[in-house]
Amino acid sequence: MSDVPELESRYHMQMFRRMPVTLVRGEGTRVWDDTGKEYLDFVAGIAVDTLGHAHPGLADVISKQARTLIHVSNIFYSEPQVELAKLLVENSALDQVFFVNSGAEANEGAIKLARKWGINNRNGAYEIIATNNGFHGRTLATVAATGTARYREPFGPQLPGFTFVDYGDLEALKAATNERTCAVLIEPVQGEGGVNVPPDGYLKAIRQWCDEQGILLILDEVQTGCGRTGTLWAYEQAGVEPDIMTLAKGLGGGVPVGAVLAKNHAAVFEPGDHGSTFGGNPLATAAALYVMQQVIDGGVTKNSQERGEQLARHFASFEDRFESVAGHRGQGLLRALVFHEDVAGEIVGKALQAGLILNAVRPNAVRFMPPLTVTQEEIDRAASILEAVIADVTG
Ligand code: PLP
């Protein structure tokens, strides 16, 4: 083992519960640690490495752009930025976009946009209804919007203006709506909350309620967007269109970039309202443009759907064969295998030893989010490692 963990404990603030592995190299779905051990990566940077590791086409684009123009300020026009904006708008239900650097920042921007919209259009309405177990980021506004108290409470007075209701409970959402409400902020599938798929018709009913009340629907597609759930945007499967949508994670395939998209009526920012030094710089947007071309036209989204179904078939057979398996949930390549007992940590630890990287999203649920380019053979191999691990841990 290298001295990296020791150096980390001395020099890096202790804010992550890290797996006991230092990853140094990757190729496609595979990664290698500093001892040369190979793993199948079914975490992919938490749903980020859309095209897998060290994708040659993406590496070429990044390197070419780095040799051409890495960064210019947003006080100038930029070719990759407008090309990416055009691609996202032409392939979504939204009309305009601006770029940021992360999911939290995208949601910050969406919250500001919705509040300005409320001030302009709904007598100063500023409250946002979000959901328990939702996750929108770690900045002060996005933790205030995150329905998990432990992310918010250590940090003193919270930004006011957020109300929480249970995910899936339409009546609670209706009851929480008042004249101060400007928007609903929700994930189409809760990712960090445990890969929670809402009841059929839930998002459609929220859309209808927002229309009736004259409030905005903000979909946080930071985790679900960009092909992850087997369609380009998760909202397509729910049969709704948001007024505002946020993206990050898979958008840049590992290069930090996020986006806020809005319908024209919700795109109320004017020059000076918001900004970002790095947001949408040429390097990030050239990378995202390449990634999204592959996701949209390169068969990546179809692979996400087909490999997701393949994974779900393995899960169904585990459910039949292991009493410890309670079920599975998810869409595309965002899935969770659920156990009756809190064994997720042990399953993930043993899988790591066996060369498969997974994530314990809940004490009783293991999350799977491999690159969207994962192959049929890799899904089968991961399932066979997992099967042995489940047998070992739960008998
Ligand atoms: N929104 C959702 C749905 C997420 O899953 C995450 C991260 O997990 C975020 C926002 C925050 O993104 P970031 O970590 O890039 O700030």
Side-chain angles (χ1 to χ4, degrees), residues 241-326:
E241 291 183 1
D243 301 296
I244 298 174
M245 170 168 81
T246 55
L247 304 176
K249 284 195 179 285
L251 179 61
V255 174
V257 56
V260 179
L261 287 90
K263 297 242 190 204
N264 282 330
H265 66 88
V268 292
F269 279 164
E270 295 164 282
D273 276 347
H274 195 61
S276 165
T277 294
F278 293 120
N281 87 2
L283 186 73
T285 47
L289 180 65
Y290 180 82
V291 171
M292 291 311 293
Q293 281 164 344
Q294 302 306 306
V295 169
I296 292 166
D297 296 325
V300 170
T301 302
K302 185 161 171 277
N303 193 60
S304 167
Q305 188 221 325
E306 290 174 358
R307 299 287 74 78
E309 282 168 8
Q310 185 189 351
L311 195 54
R313 284 193 295 277
H314 283 296
F315 291 165
S317 99
F318 295 162
E319 203 180 335
D320 289 343
R321 282 179 297 133
F322 293 105
E323 277 182 17
S324 57
V325 175

Side-chain angles (χ1 to χ4, degrees), residues 170-240:
L170 181 68
E171 292 314 311
L173 190 143
K174 287 184 174 176
T177 310
N178 60 51
E179 72 284 352
R180 295 181 305 278
T181 308
C182 67
V184 173
L185 167 62
I186 193 163
E187 295 157 85
V189 174
Q190 283 187 333
E192 299 308 299
V195 191
N196 303 316
V197 180
D200 279 351
Y202 174 61
L203 292 171
K204 227 175 188 167
I206 294 180
R207 173 73 274 176
Q208 197 180 342
W209 177 250
C210 288
D211 289 342
E212 279 168 33
Q213 298 297 309
I215 59 177
L216 300 178
L217 174 58
I218 308 170
L219 288 184
D220 177 344
E221 291 236 24
V222 166
Q223 189 154 157
T224 56
C226 306
R228 174 59 53 186
T229 63
T231 47
L232 182 54
W233 317 116
Y235 70 67
E236 295 168 52
Q237 292 175 63
V240 301

